[in-house]
Every structure is written in C-alpha cells, then in structure tokens.
Amino acid sequence: MPFPFTLPTTSSLSFPDFYTSATHPSLPLSATTHRGVLRDILKKHKRLPPASQPSNLFSVLSALNAYIPYLFALDAGLGGRSIAGEEVDVVLVRDLEVEWRPTLSASLPGREASRVKLKSLESELCFVLLCAAEVHALLARSQLYTLYNATMPTTEQRVTAIAAAMRHFLDANAVCGYLVSRVQQWATPSGAVDISVPVLSALGELTIAEATLITVLKDDPYPGVVLEDRNKQSKDWMFKSVDIPKVRAHLFARLCLSAAEHAAKAQAMLSSAGKVDEGLVRYVDDLRRTARGKACRFLGIDAELAGKTGEGIAWVRGARRELGFQSIGKEEEKKGSAFSKLKKDWAEKREDRKVEKGGDWGTDGGKFEEGRVLEMLERKWVKMNDTVGVQLIPPSEPLLASMPSGREYHTPKPYITPGLDEDVISRMRAPPDPSDSGFKGDEDDSNDEDEQKSSPVGAFPGTKGEYSGGTTYY
C-alpha cells in the first residue's frame, strides 16, 4: 500500500486558439507554456522504469504546481472574477478541445485505455487536479516504501516517513474533496470515468482511509517485528529478543474500523461508477479487509493483555477469516503437507521480491503483510495457551458481531486554490511576442508509441506492431 497509480498523459494544447484576453494578452500563451512543460514531463515519466519513477515525482509535482495557478486564472477570467486585486477579462473564442488518457478506467488486458476527448476548461482543470492528487498518493507510497525494504529504518526515519506520507494523503484528500464539490455542479457529465463524481468520491474516501491506517502504523510495533524476523541482514536475534511495547489496543482497533468504513464507502462508490480499473477495485476491497483484520488483531491484543488468551486467539482467527486466510489450527498443522508449506514459502518470497524491486509491492492493500503478523501472534498465543494456562477458545463469529464502532482521527482540510502573484499578473498585461508559440517540449503528440506498446505483434504486413526484422518496442 498505497495503490500504485499510473499518471495520465495528454495531447498538446494551445490556449490562444481558444481564449483571448484584452486586459492580460499574455495569459493564454503563458498558460500554454506551463502546460507544455507538464505534458513533456508526464510523457517522460511514463517511459521511466518503475524503479526510477518515485524519484521523478517531485519534478511532476513541481510542473503541476506551476501550471495549476494559470488554469485558475483562466477560469477566473472567464467568470469575471479578479485575480490578486486585478480585473482579468478572458473571452472564449471557441470551445476548448483537448485529450487526456484515463488511467482509472477499465481496459482490455495488455492495452491502455484510449484517449478521451474533452471540450471544456473544467475538464482540463479536473484532470490536472486529479493528476496532482495521484502524485501526492504516489509520494506517500514512496515514503512508506522505506518501512518495508531490506534496510531497517531507525525510529527517527520511521516517524519522519510516516509523517510525510500522512501529509501527502491529506493533501490528496483535499484535492479530491474540492473536485467532488466542483464536478457536482456540472450540468452534464464529461464522459470520462476518471473525473466522475463516484470515482472522485471513492478516491477521497480511499485517501482518508490510508491516512487513518498509517496513524496506527506509527505506533504499531508488530509489522516491524515481522520485518525484523525475515530481515537476513539483522543479527540482533543473536544477543537480544525483539522489544514489543504495549499499545493502546482498543483505540487502535476503533481507528482501523474507521479506515475500514471509509474503504467500504469507496468500494460502494466504485461499484456505481461503471467501468473502473479492476486493479483499483481489488485494492480497495483488500484495504477494507486489511483494516478490519487489523482491528480484530488489536482487539485480540487487548484481550491477551487482560489475561484472556483464549479470547485473543479467537480474535486473531477471526482476523485471518476477515482477510480470507485459513486459521492455523492444530488439525491443520498436523495434516499440513510439504506442498502447502512450499506454496506458502513461495508466496512469501514472491512478496519479498516485490518489495525489493519496488514495483507493484503492496497492491494487496497490506493484506499479505498483516497475515504474517496474525500468523506470528496465533502461533505464539496457541503455544502459550497449551503450555501455561489452558483457556477455552471461543468461536470468532460472536466476537466479530460485537466489534465497536469506528473512531475518526483526521478532519479533512479544505483545498486552497493557488493564485498567481501580483508581479506575474502585472507582467501579463504586455502583449505576447508574435514569434513565441509556447513551450512545445521534446515529445511528439502522436499516439503511435502508445498504440505500439499495447498492440500485439502483427502477422501480416500493414498491421500495427508487425515484425520487420528490427527491434519491436512494447
């Protein structure tokens, strides 16, 4: 976790073809220049290998932050609103036409979704802001990656990474909340699933669920214990046992239940949105399961700390059921075959390789990692219960039915629309240079490369992707 969003790409656009301003003639051209920079960076970002993309996210965010104020300036000028105390007049020449490639819409396996043609400044603004929200979510993902890779972070590094990830999640949530309120005012929908109300609302719920879960992660020692246990470079086990501090178990359980409720809302919204990327739908469901599993685990820890080991085991087994895993009972351990153990070890190694490569790790919403924690606790508590104080293990179903309500932790903050500085606005009173057509970038505007990547190798001359003796790129 979080979800590995793919950033959208877009076609070229020249605002002077669609807008003109008598008060600030350079505004459309300046907006075109900053948009050209963003388009160029998005195309280059898409071609980077997955391991190199996280380090390029700040460049994408910088380009977005530079372009977005110009979009709001054009929007204010069309609406007759002042900017930085100046009256800005923007006149529509003809309907804006632009294309964006959606990344949250469902598409055929191995193929990208086709570009969507949009015909309004509103749609352009929404796609750009959605891209900004996704960049914030990916930055949070890159921060959390430091907690799961091979190098064990220090306590200070862990706190810093979690705090930075939380800020990015809340920033993404603020953008999604603003987009929902804006799109709800449209008379007719744009036709793009990515910027529809259900999808934007689902992303808002998803980001607040993620922010709530990492609030718990900050003080949850058990994932670190599992990470320490499988860290081949660690030698601490030779001279000391892992210190597991006590946690505020009941409070953490309610926070996890709140995250599960937000994820459930996101899941319901995505189901009503139409054709949405199946990977995102699965991720939201897995995150909901993980949050409920964590809540059960903390309630089990609370029971075990109170001396109710049998009830704690029941909670842990209920948590594994929430995740969709089988419980580790005595009967299962006795009849467990070598093949099942080999299959489990292979699954763990595959997940570890995903973390090492930094690609699609965590696409299960943390479900697999939580399963490891639950397995460790169940084995430990069952052994204690069998040897020290034998207690009856109650069924899990009544406990799951008696779970408390969730407790909110974050208050969503409003999105503050960025504006241009006074000196920038004043400079745009000057007419543009007739020879200046705006930044074009190094990337062409064709779909050829994208189609070639997503098209199979043709068997006959004239088909896309045909083999002609050279190198075919995908």
Side-chain angles (χ1 to χ4, degrees), residues 317-404:
R317 289 178 176 175
R320 290 180 65 85
R321 189 175 294 112
E322 287 286 344
L323 295 179
F325 300 148
Q326 290 185 351
S327 177
I328 310 172
K330 286 185 177 180
E331 297 79 13
E332 181 185 342
E333 289 183 335
K334 288 180 180 178
K335 66 182 180 182
S337 63
F339 174 74
S340 62
K341 186 177 185 302
L342 182 64
K343 183 178 179 181
K344 176 178 171 296
D345 292 342
W346 179 81
E348 289 186 355
K349 290 179 180 179
R350 183 180 62 176
E351 186 67 19
D352 290 342
R353 283 196 298 270
K354 286 182 180 180
V355 175
E356 290 173 5
K357 294 179 180 178
D360 58 348
W361 68 277
T363 51
D364 62 347
K367 189 172 67 171
F368 193 87
E369 192 72 20
E370 182 62 22
R372 282 177 160 176
V373 176
L374 293 171
E375 180 182 348
M376 178 196 73
L377 285 177
E378 185 174 359
R379 291 186 184 279
K380 175 183 176 182
W381 290 350
V382 167
K383 185 176 181 180
M384 289 173 52
N385 194 51
D386 289 346
T387 56
V388 181
V390 179
Q391 297 182 10
L392 291 176
I393 301 174
S396 301
E397 289 78 6
L399 295 176
L400 296 177
S402 65
M403 293 176 73

XYZ file of all heavy atoms in Angstrom, residues 317-404:
701
model
N -7.961 -15.427 14.972
C -8.522 -16.327 13.956
C -9.644 -15.634 13.179
O -9.806 -15.857 11.972
C -9.020 -17.609 14.630
C -7.876 -18.481 15.121
C -8.339 -19.734 15.827
N -7.183 -20.571 16.177
C -7.262 -21.697 16.883
N -8.446 -22.131 17.315
N -6.168 -22.392 17.150
N -10.410 -14.802 13.878
C -11.418 -14.007 13.179
C -10.783 -13.017 12.220
O -11.306 -12.757 11.128
N -9.621 -12.472 12.608
C -8.910 -11.536 11.736
C -8.438 -12.234 10.472
O -8.545 -11.694 9.362
C -7.721 -10.933 12.482
N -7.938 -13.459 10.616
C -7.492 -14.201 9.435
C -8.671 -14.515 8.530
O -8.539 -14.523 7.301
C -6.784 -15.489 9.870
C -5.429 -15.247 10.521
C -4.778 -16.551 10.937
N -4.470 -17.376 9.786
C -3.358 -17.287 9.047
N -2.461 -16.354 9.351
N -3.145 -18.079 8.032
N -9.822 -14.755 9.124
C -11.016 -15.001 8.324
C -11.429 -13.737 7.568
O -11.869 -13.801 6.416
C -12.148 -15.491 9.218
C -13.374 -15.972 8.440
C -14.420 -16.570 9.348
N -13.943 -17.803 9.979
C -13.683 -17.928 11.271
N -13.865 -16.904 12.087
N -13.256 -19.065 11.766
N -11.285 -12.585 8.214
C -11.598 -11.318 7.542
C -10.698 -11.102 6.335
O -11.121 -10.557 5.312
C -11.438 -10.150 8.518
C -12.517 -10.043 9.579
C -13.826 -9.533 9.025
O -13.830 -8.978 7.900
O -14.861 -9.687 9.704
N -9.449 -11.535 6.459
C -8.503 -11.383 5.351
C -8.715 -12.422 4.256
O -8.144 -12.301 3.173
C -7.061 -11.481 5.867
C -6.596 -10.382 6.826
C -5.168 -10.645 7.259
C -6.710 -9.016 6.191
N -9.495 -13.446 4.562
C -9.695 -14.511 3.585
C -8.699 -15.636 3.723
O -8.574 -16.470 2.821
N -7.970 -15.698 4.874
C -6.989 -16.746 5.118
C -7.579 -17.781 6.067
O -8.459 -17.475 6.868
C -5.704 -16.180 5.730
C -5.019 -15.166 4.870
C -4.296 -14.123 5.433
C -5.078 -15.247 3.495
C -3.664 -13.190 4.646
C -4.452 -14.324 2.696
C -3.743 -13.288 3.276
N -7.033 -18.992 6.013
C -7.446 -20.029 6.936
C -6.711 -19.893 8.255
O -5.587 -19.413 8.306
C -7.182 -21.418 6.346
C -8.089 -21.784 5.174
C -7.856 -23.194 4.716
O -6.919 -23.843 5.143
N -8.730 -23.670 3.836
N -7.352 -20.346 9.316
C -6.735 -20.299 10.633
C -5.707 -21.413 10.780
O -5.807 -22.469 10.146
C -7.805 -20.421 11.719
O -7.217 -20.443 12.996
N -4.738 -21.183 11.659
C -3.699 -22.184 11.914
C -4.137 -23.007 13.117
O -3.787 -22.712 14.251
C -2.333 -21.526 12.192
C -2.011 -20.502 11.124
C -1.237 -22.563 12.265
C -0.787 -19.698 11.426
N -4.936 -24.015 12.899
C -5.375 -24.884 13.976
C -4.452 -26.066 14.131
O -3.615 -26.351 13.285
N -4.638 -26.782 15.243
C -3.806 -27.974 15.459
C -4.037 -28.998 14.364
O -3.115 -29.639 13.867
C -4.147 -28.590 16.817
C -3.611 -27.811 18.008
C -3.904 -28.566 19.292
C -3.319 -27.837 20.488
N -3.591 -28.553 21.750
N -5.317 -29.150 14.006
C -5.629 -30.147 12.992
C -4.964 -29.795 11.669
O -4.437 -30.661 10.974
C -7.152 -30.237 12.796
C -7.915 -30.699 14.025
C -8.105 -29.584 15.039
O -7.858 -28.414 14.661
O -8.483 -29.873 16.185
N -4.956 -28.491 11.319
C -4.367 -28.065 10.053
C -2.861 -28.286 10.066
O -2.261 -28.678 9.070
C -4.697 -26.596 9.789
C -4.148 -26.083 8.474
C -4.400 -24.601 8.302
O -5.251 -24.056 9.003
O -3.709 -24.000 7.471
N -2.232 -28.029 11.248
C -0.793 -28.208 11.332
C -0.401 -29.682 11.219
O 0.611 -30.028 10.631
C -0.288 -27.627 12.648
C -0.341 -26.112 12.702
C 0.237 -25.588 13.997
O 0.230 -26.324 14.978
O 0.699 -24.442 13.997
N -1.244 -30.553 11.784
C -0.930 -31.980 11.733
C -1.026 -32.530 10.326
O -0.217 -33.346 9.894
C -1.857 -32.742 12.671
C -1.547 -32.511 14.147
C -2.503 -33.299 15.031
C -2.189 -33.064 16.507
N -3.137 -33.791 17.394
N -2.067 -32.106 9.606
C -2.278 -32.668 8.282
C -1.656 -31.808 7.175
O -1.862 -32.054 6.001
C -3.774 -32.847 8.013
C -4.549 -31.536 7.937
C -6.030 -31.792 7.719
C -6.827 -30.496 7.646
N -8.270 -30.736 7.481
N -0.928 -30.765 7.567
C -0.323 -29.909 6.567
C 0.736 -30.654 5.773
O 1.619 -31.299 6.332
N 0.664 -30.596 4.488
C 1.587 -31.328 3.627
C 2.810 -30.475 3.318
O 2.828 -29.271 3.543
C 0.887 -31.708 2.326
O 0.510 -30.546 1.628
N 3.818 -31.122 2.811
C 5.026 -30.401 2.415
C 4.734 -29.462 1.264
O 5.341 -28.392 1.152
C 6.113 -31.400 2.027
N 3.766 -29.842 0.428
C 3.419 -28.991 -0.711
C 2.817 -27.670 -0.241
O 3.136 -26.607 -0.783
C 2.443 -29.720 -1.629
C 1.935 -28.859 -2.756
C 2.747 -28.547 -3.835
C 0.652 -28.341 -2.711
C 2.293 -27.743 -4.859
C 0.181 -27.538 -3.743
C 1.000 -27.241 -4.816
N 1.926 -27.722 0.770
C 1.303 -26.484 1.253
C 2.341 -25.564 1.878
O 2.275 -24.341 1.730
C 0.205 -26.810 2.261
O 0.758 -27.475 3.391
N 3.316 -26.139 2.604
C 4.378 -25.322 3.188
C 5.239 -24.701 2.094
O 5.614 -23.527 2.179
C 5.242 -26.177 4.112
C 6.297 -25.372 4.883
C 7.065 -26.268 5.822
C 8.027 -25.443 6.666
N 8.990 -24.677 5.874
N 5.531 -25.500 1.061
C 6.320 -24.976 -0.051
C 5.576 -23.848 -0.766
O 6.165 -22.828 -1.147
C 6.629 -26.105 -1.029
C 7.490 -25.736 -2.251
C 8.873 -25.309 -1.804
C 7.575 -26.914 -3.210
N 4.267 -24.018 -0.944
C 3.446 -22.995 -1.597
C 3.441 -21.702 -0.791
O 3.541 -20.605 -1.336
C 2.026 -23.528 -1.772
C 1.091 -22.578 -2.497
C -0.286 -23.207 -2.663
C -1.236 -22.226 -3.368
N -2.589 -22.820 -3.511
N 3.334 -21.822 0.537
C 3.330 -20.647 1.407
C 4.686 -19.935 1.365
O 4.765 -18.704 1.273
C 3.006 -21.068 2.833
C 3.066 -19.954 3.860
C 2.683 -20.478 5.232
C 2.944 -19.425 6.278
N 4.371 -19.091 6.400
N 5.783 -20.724 1.437
C 7.115 -20.117 1.386
C 7.341 -19.401 0.058
O 7.955 -18.321 0.019
C 8.184 -21.194 1.580
C 8.181 -21.764 2.986
O 7.607 -21.114 3.883
O 8.731 -22.874 3.180
N 6.829 -19.982 -1.033
C 6.985 -19.356 -2.344
C 6.223 -18.041 -2.399
O 6.708 -17.051 -2.964
C 6.483 -20.305 -3.423
C 6.575 -19.728 -4.804
C 7.681 -19.666 -5.598
C 5.527 -19.105 -5.537
N 7.387 -19.045 -6.792
C 6.075 -18.686 -6.781
C 4.183 -18.853 -5.287
C 5.306 -18.045 -7.750
C 3.422 -18.213 -6.249
C 3.982 -17.820 -7.457
N 5.018 -18.009 -1.820
C 4.227 -16.780 -1.806
C 4.931 -15.689 -1.000
O 4.942 -14.516 -1.390
C 2.839 -17.057 -1.223
N 5.533 -16.057 0.129
C 6.248 -15.066 0.940
C 7.464 -14.524 0.193
O 7.732 -13.321 0.209
C 6.678 -15.698 2.265
C 5.527 -15.965 3.224
C 6.019 -16.464 4.567
O 7.246 -16.685 4.699
O 5.188 -16.633 5.478
N 8.206 -15.418 -0.470
C 9.380 -14.975 -1.210
C 8.992 -14.079 -2.383
O 9.694 -13.118 -2.703
C 10.175 -16.176 -1.707
C 10.877 -16.942 -0.587
C 11.634 -18.135 -1.129
C 12.326 -18.895 -0.003
N 13.055 -20.087 -0.509
N 7.861 -14.397 -3.031
C 7.396 -13.558 -4.135
C 7.060 -12.158 -3.647
O 7.408 -11.161 -4.289
C 6.169 -14.197 -4.785
C 5.661 -13.431 -5.998
C 4.451 -14.097 -6.610
N 3.337 -14.148 -5.680
C 2.128 -14.604 -5.988
N 1.900 -15.092 -7.192
N 1.171 -14.611 -5.096
N 6.395 -12.060 -2.489
C 6.074 -10.750 -1.933
C 7.337 -9.997 -1.537
O 7.450 -8.789 -1.732
C 5.155 -10.905 -0.724
C 4.637 -9.596 -0.139
C 3.694 -8.864 -1.066
O 3.151 -9.488 -1.998
O 3.504 -7.649 -0.855
N 8.316 -10.705 -0.975
C 9.579 -10.071 -0.602
C 10.310 -9.543 -1.828
O 10.922 -8.467 -1.783
C 10.472 -11.070 0.146
C 9.928 -11.404 1.525
O 9.088 -10.634 2.029
O 10.328 -12.445 2.085
N 10.249 -10.295 -2.939
C 10.900 -9.826 -4.169
C 10.211 -8.568 -4.692
O 10.867 -7.678 -5.234
C 10.887 -10.931 -5.233
C 11.912 -12.014 -5.020
C 12.106 -12.840 -6.278
N 10.899 -13.528 -6.664
C 10.557 -14.748 -6.249
N 11.358 -15.406 -5.436
N 9.428 -15.302 -6.654
N 8.885 -8.492 -4.557
C 8.171 -7.290 -4.967
C 8.662 -6.080 -4.182
O 8.851 -4.991 -4.731
C 6.666 -7.460 -4.753
C 5.984 -8.383 -5.753
C 4.488 -8.432 -5.481
C 3.767 -9.338 -6.461
N 2.308 -9.378 -6.179
N 8.857 -6.264 -2.884
C 9.341 -5.159 -2.047
C 10.748 -4.767 -2.454
O 11.090 -3.582 -2.531
C 9.288 -5.549 -0.550
C 9.909 -4.470 0.310
C 7.850 -5.804 -0.123
N 11.598 -5.758 -2.728
C 12.975 -5.468 -3.118
C 13.035 -4.678 -4.416
O 13.821 -3.745 -4.559
C 13.757 -6.774 -3.257
C 14.021 -7.484 -1.927
C 14.646 -8.844 -2.125
O 14.960 -9.172 -3.295
O 14.819 -9.580 -1.136
N 12.200 -5.061 -5.386
C 12.201 -4.383 -6.683
C 11.510 -3.026 -6.614
O 11.773 -2.148 -7.447
C 11.523 -5.260 -7.735
C 12.288 -6.539 -8.050
C 11.543 -7.381 -9.083
C 12.305 -8.656 -9.403
N 11.582 -9.511 -10.380
N 10.607 -2.837 -5.658
C 9.928 -1.558 -5.513
C 8.895 -1.290 -6.583
O 8.525 -0.150 -6.816
N 8.397 -2.304 -7.272
C 7.419 -2.112 -8.335
C 5.995 -2.147 -7.830
O 5.470 -1.160 -7.329
N 5.371 -3.328 -7.944
C 3.963 -3.446 -7.575
C 3.780 -3.998 -6.166
O 2.834 -4.727 -5.887
C 3.217 -4.327 -8.574
C 3.820 -5.717 -8.675
O 4.937 -5.912 -8.149
O 3.190 -6.603 -9.266
N 4.692 -3.677 -5.254
C 4.560 -4.145 -3.876
C 3.317 -3.503 -3.245
O 2.931 -2.388 -3.560
C 5.807 -3.764 -3.057
C 5.941 -2.286 -2.829
C 6.480 -1.373 -3.692
C 5.501 -1.543 -1.698
N 6.407 -0.118 -3.167
C 5.812 -0.179 -1.935
C 4.875 -1.877 -0.498
C 5.525 0.828 -1.024
C 4.584 -0.872 0.404
C 4.920 0.458 0.154
N 2.700 -4.234 -2.335
C 1.581 -3.681 -1.588
C 0.304 -3.524 -2.373
O -0.621 -2.853 -1.898
N 0.193 -4.129 -3.557
C -1.038 -3.980 -4.335
C -2.198 -4.751 -3.712
O -3.338 -4.631 -4.169
C -0.830 -4.475 -5.778
O -0.256 -5.789 -5.754
C 0.103 -3.535 -6.527
N -1.914 -5.535 -2.664
C -2.975 -6.239 -1.946
C -3.474 -5.438 -0.752
O -4.197 -5.973 0.094
C -2.482 -7.613 -1.491
C -1.309 -7.510 -0.517
O -0.730 -6.411 -0.395
O -0.967 -8.519 0.117
N -3.106 -4.155 -0.673
C -3.576 -3.317 0.433
C -2.969 -3.676 1.769
O -3.523 -3.335 2.822
N -1.841 -4.369 1.780
C -1.203 -4.773 3.034
C -1.767 -6.053 3.615
O -1.426 -6.422 4.747
N -2.617 -6.748 2.857
C -3.276 -7.954 3.373
C -2.271 -9.065 3.671
O -2.351 -9.723 4.709
C -4.312 -8.433 2.348
C -5.197 -9.545 2.849
C -6.332 -9.836 1.869
C -5.816 -10.424 0.576
N -6.927 -10.894 -0.291
N -1.320 -9.269 2.785
C -0.347 -10.344 2.975
C 0.537 -10.058 4.186
O 0.827 -10.951 4.990
C 0.499 -10.492 1.715
C 1.317 -11.745 1.682
C 0.791 -12.924 1.179
C 2.616 -11.753 2.153
C 1.547 -14.084 1.156
C 3.378 -12.903 2.130
C 2.846 -14.077 1.633
N 0.959 -8.806 4.334
C 1.813 -8.434 5.467
C 1.068 -8.598 6.788
O 1.623 -9.088 7.773
C 2.268 -6.977 5.301
C 3.375 -6.555 6.241
C 4.716 -7.170 5.877
O 4.885 -7.609 4.731
O 5.581 -7.204 6.766
N -0.198 -8.204 6.820
C -0.992 -8.382 8.028
C -1.184 -9.864 8.336
O -1.201 -10.264 9.518
C -2.354 -7.695 7.870
C -3.251 -7.768 9.088
C -2.691 -7.084 10.307
O -1.815 -6.194 10.161
O -3.121 -7.426 11.428
N -1.321 -10.680 7.302
C -1.436 -12.120 7.513
C -0.219 -12.695 8.205
O -0.329 -13.604 9.045
N 0.955 -12.176 7.897
C 2.175 -12.635 8.560
C 2.157 -12.293 10.045
O 2.555 -13.099 10.901
C 3.399 -11.988 7.901
C 3.806 -12.623 6.596
C 4.963 -11.862 5.993
N 5.684 -12.653 5.011
C 6.694 -12.204 4.283
N 7.085 -10.959 4.442
N 7.298 -12.975 3.410
N 1.699 -11.076 10.367
C 1.622 -10.661 11.768
C 0.650 -11.561 12.528
O 0.932 -12.019 13.645
C 1.179 -9.188 11.873
C 1.014 -8.779 13.333
C 2.181 -8.274 11.186
N -0.498 -11.829 11.921
C -1.503 -12.665 12.577
C -1.000 -14.088 12.769
O -1.261 -14.714 13.809
C -2.788 -12.659 11.745
C -3.532 -11.328 11.671
C -4.646 -11.394 10.640
C -4.087 -10.941 13.035
N -0.272 -14.602 11.799
C 0.281 -15.955 11.931
C 1.266 -16.025 13.088
O 1.263 -16.974 13.879
C 0.961 -16.363 10.631
C 1.562 -17.763 10.678
C 2.272 -18.126 9.383
O 2.106 -17.408 8.388
O 2.989 -19.148 9.388
N 2.101 -14.998 13.209
C 3.074 -14.958 14.303
C 2.364 -14.936 15.656
O 2.715 -15.686 16.576
C 3.958 -13.720 14.150
C 4.988 -13.556 15.264
S 5.693 -11.893 15.325
C 4.304 -10.959 15.990
N 1.329 -14.094 15.799
C 0.620 -13.986 17.066
C -0.129 -15.269 17.394
O -0.141 -15.717 18.550
C -0.355 -12.806 17.012
C 0.254 -11.410 17.119
C -0.834 -10.350 16.981
C 0.997 -11.237 18.432
N -0.772 -15.857 16.385
C -1.548 -17.074 16.665
C -0.638 -18.201 17.118
O -0.956 -18.918 18.086
C -2.335 -17.494 15.432
C -3.244 -18.681 15.701
C -4.137 -19.039 14.535
O -4.069 -18.338 13.507
O -4.891 -20.019 14.655
N 0.494 -18.391 16.458
C 1.413 -19.448 16.872
C 1.918 -19.208 18.296
O 2.009 -20.137 19.113
C 2.590 -19.533 15.906
C 2.222 -20.039 14.522
C 3.458 -20.240 13.667
N 3.119 -20.628 12.314
C 2.802 -21.863 11.941
N 2.792 -22.840 12.848
N 2.507 -22.147 10.690
N 2.248 -17.949 18.598
C 2.773 -17.613 19.922
C 1.725 -17.848 21.000
O 1.997 -18.474 22.040
C 3.243 -16.162 19.931
C 3.711 -15.656 21.279
C 4.082 -14.185 21.214
C 4.459 -13.652 22.592
N 4.764 -12.202 22.540
N 0.505 -17.363 20.772
C -0.531 -17.450 21.801
C -1.045 -18.873 21.959
O -1.383 -19.297 23.075
C -1.684 -16.496 21.467
C -1.298 -15.055 21.623
C -0.167 -14.550 22.186
C -2.053 -13.916 21.192
N -0.147 -13.181 22.127
C -1.301 -12.765 21.536
C -3.278 -13.759 20.556
C -1.746 -11.479 21.258
C -3.731 -12.478 20.279
C -2.973 -11.349 20.629
N -1.151 -19.629 20.879
C -1.577 -21.020 20.988
C -0.567 -21.818 21.793
O -0.930 -22.649 22.644
C -1.779 -21.638 19.587
C -1.921 -23.152 19.665
C -3.026 -21.040 18.920
N 0.706 -21.571 21.575
C 1.746 -22.269 22.336
C 1.664 -21.905 23.814
O 1.786 -22.781 24.689
C 3.117 -21.911 21.765
C 4.264 -22.666 22.407
C 5.585 -22.326 21.728
C 6.727 -23.115 22.363
N 8.031 -22.808 21.706
N 1.458 -20.609 24.105
C 1.302 -20.183 25.500
C 0.075 -20.821 26.131
O 0.113 -21.287 27.280
C 1.187 -18.659 25.565
C 2.465 -17.909 25.272
S 2.187 -16.116 25.169
C 1.315 -15.816 26.703
N -1.010 -20.838 25.386
C -2.260 -21.377 25.930
C -2.173 -22.883 26.158
O -2.813 -23.421 27.071
C -3.414 -21.061 24.976
C -4.778 -21.274 25.614
O -5.035 -20.770 26.711
N -5.638 -21.998 24.941
N -1.396 -23.577 25.362
C -1.268 -25.023 25.501
C -0.331 -25.426 26.642
O -0.425 -26.547 27.153
C -0.758 -25.642 24.200
C -1.803 -25.600 23.095
O -2.979 -25.343 23.411
O -1.434 -25.808 21.928
N 0.583 -24.529 27.028
C 1.617 -24.909 27.997
C 1.468 -24.223 29.350
O 1.803 -24.798 30.382
C 3.013 -24.584 27.434
O 3.059 -23.192 27.087
C 3.295 -25.421 26.194
N 0.993 -22.977 29.376
C 0.972 -22.216 30.631
C -0.408 -22.260 31.275
O -0.626 -22.915 32.291
C 1.422 -20.760 30.391
C 1.419 -19.987 31.699
C 2.810 -20.732 29.766
N -1.356 -21.542 30.722
C -2.694 -21.502 31.291
C -3.711 -21.854 30.237
O -3.983 -21.056 29.339
N -4.242 -23.040 30.314
C -5.152 -23.514 29.272
C -6.504 -22.821 29.418
O -7.130 -22.867 30.480
C -5.322 -25.042 29.342
C -6.292 -25.517 28.273
C -3.977 -25.732 29.202
N -6.928 -22.150 28.363
C -8.238 -21.495 28.336
C -9.008 -21.977 27.109
O -8.416 -22.295 26.071
C -8.093 -19.968 28.276
C -7.421 -19.339 29.477
C -7.357 -17.818 29.349
O -7.962 -17.226 28.459
N -6.612 -17.191 30.257
N -10.323 -22.018 27.267
C -11.151 -22.362 26.123
C -11.092 -21.250 25.083
O -11.072 -20.059 25.434
C -12.595 -22.586 26.571
C -12.850 -23.827 27.428
C -14.316 -23.854 27.872
C -12.513 -25.104 26.650
N -11.055 -21.648 23.822
C -11.031 -20.677 22.722
C -12.452 -20.547 22.181
O -12.972 -21.484 21.567
C -10.068 -21.119 21.609
C -8.651 -21.286 22.170
C -10.066 -20.104 20.469
C -7.659 -21.855 21.181
N -13.095 -19.397 22.404
C -14.478 -19.240 21.953
C -14.543 -19.099 20.431
O -13.537 -18.814 19.771
C -14.933 -17.953 22.647
C -13.676 -17.177 22.837
C -12.597 -18.188 23.080
N -15.703 -19.297 19.846
C -15.840 -19.072 18.397
C -15.656 -17.604 18.052
O -15.934 -16.712 18.867
C -17.265 -19.557 18.094
C -17.981 -19.480 19.412
C -16.959 -19.769 20.463
N -15.200 -17.356 16.834
C -14.893 -15.975 16.419
C -16.125 -15.192 16.002
O -16.139 -13.961 16.099
C -13.877 -15.996 15.267
O -12.699 -16.647 15.644
N -17.163 -15.882 15.508
C -18.312 -15.178 14.926
C -18.993 -14.217 15.903
O -19.255 -13.055 15.544
C -19.330 -16.189 14.377
C -18.872 -16.919 13.119
C -17.881 -18.032 13.413
O -17.645 -18.311 14.612
O -17.348 -18.614 12.447
N -19.291 -14.627 17.143
C -19.917 -13.666 18.071
C -19.032 -12.463 18.383
O -19.538 -11.352 18.587
C -20.182 -14.507 19.329
C -20.207 -15.922 18.851
C -19.225 -15.974 17.736
N -17.731 -12.684 18.421
C -16.815 -11.569 18.678
C -16.834 -10.571 17.523
O -16.859 -9.352 17.744
C -15.394 -12.098 18.896
C -15.168 -12.968 20.144
C -13.741 -13.490 20.169
C -15.459 -12.174 21.419
N -16.809 -11.096 16.299
C -16.836 -10.209 15.136
C -18.126 -9.403 15.078
O -18.127 -8.244 14.647
C -16.668 -11.021 13.851
C -15.331 -11.747 13.670
C -15.339 -12.574 12.389
C -14.177 -10.754 13.651
N -19.221 -10.019 15.533
C -20.500 -9.318 15.523
C -20.582 -8.228 16.587
O -21.427 -7.333 16.494
C -21.642 -10.314 15.720
N -19.698 -8.289 17.587
C -19.733 -7.315 18.686
C -18.659 -6.244 18.567
O -18.360 -5.564 19.558
C -19.577 -8.050 20.022
O -18.284 -8.660 20.106
N -18.070 -6.101 17.394
C -16.991 -5.117 17.225
C -17.525 -3.706 17.448
O -18.651 -3.379 17.063
C -16.380 -5.238 15.826
C -15.629 -6.540 15.613
S -15.010 -6.741 13.932
C -13.669 -5.579 13.922
N -16.723 -2.829 18.070
C -17.187 -1.462 18.340
C -17.259 -0.628 17.062
O -16.844 -1.068 15.987
C -16.132 -0.912 19.304
C -14.896 -1.686 18.966
C -15.370 -3.066 18.576
